[in-house]
């Protein structure tokens, strides 16, 4: 089975495609969402657009690699931003796959 994970974090958005437990493709974008949350308490509209576009592109790239499943996971920006619900909704709409917000304990594991 070939799977992909998109990880939306405070600094980067990462894509990893794996087959049989081994990575076959990786990509990373530096979006600095945590800096925005720290500075203004929320993720500004242009950054929301950027992360949604990035994740949609990553899901497309994962599909090009023949994945059977794509998981999109959001870490601390989705827990700390005042507009976290908007972040989750916009990413899910753009990516066309469910988005899951990790708890702090899940992220630590």
């Amino acid at each position: 089975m070939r799977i992909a994970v998109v990880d939306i974090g405070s600094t980067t958005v990462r894509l990893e495609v794996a087959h049989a437990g081994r990575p076959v493709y990786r990509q990373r974008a530096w979006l600095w969402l945590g800096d925005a949350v720290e500075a203004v308490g929320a993720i500004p509209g242009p950054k929301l657009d950027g992360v949604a576009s990035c994740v949609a592109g990553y899901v497309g790239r994962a599909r090009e690699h023949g994945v059977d499943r794509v998981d999109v996971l959001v870490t601390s920006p989705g827990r700390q931003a005042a507009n976290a619900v908007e972040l989750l909704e916009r990413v899910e709409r753009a990516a066309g796959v469910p988005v899951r917000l990790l708890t702090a304990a899940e992220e630590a594991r």
Side-chain angles (χ1 to χ4, degrees):
M1 183 171 183
R2 196 171 275 235
I3 63 167
V5 174
V6 177
D7 171 17
I8 302 169
S10 295
T11 306
T12 62
V13 176
R14 297 173 185 244
L15 166 65
E16 181 155 330
V17 176
H19 179 70
R22 294 182 183 202
V24 296
Y25 181 80
R26 290 181 174 148
Q27 193 169 355
R28 173 177 36 189
W30 299 85
L31 298 185
W32 307 101
L33 300 178
D35 285 358
V37 173
E38 190 173 313
V40 298
I43 301 168
K47 282 207 180 272
L48 287 172
D49 293 340
V51 73
S53 176
C54 178
V55 173
Y58 282 179
V59 169
R61 221 157 279 116
R63 300 268 188 240
E64 290 169 3
H65 281 86
V67 299
D68 300 301
R69 187 178 92 210
V70 178
D71 291 330
V72 178
L73 309 174
V74 180
T75 62
S76 62
R79 294 189 306 270
Q80 297 173 340
N83 60 342
V85 171
E86 183 179 5
L87 168 67
L88 299 172
E89 289 173 349
R90 286 178 75 169
V91 168
E92 190 165 296
R93 196 168 43 250
V97 298
V99 173
R100 187 164 79 89
L101 175 63
L102 296 181
T103 66
E106 288 173 315
E107 182 179 357
R109 267 196 316 255

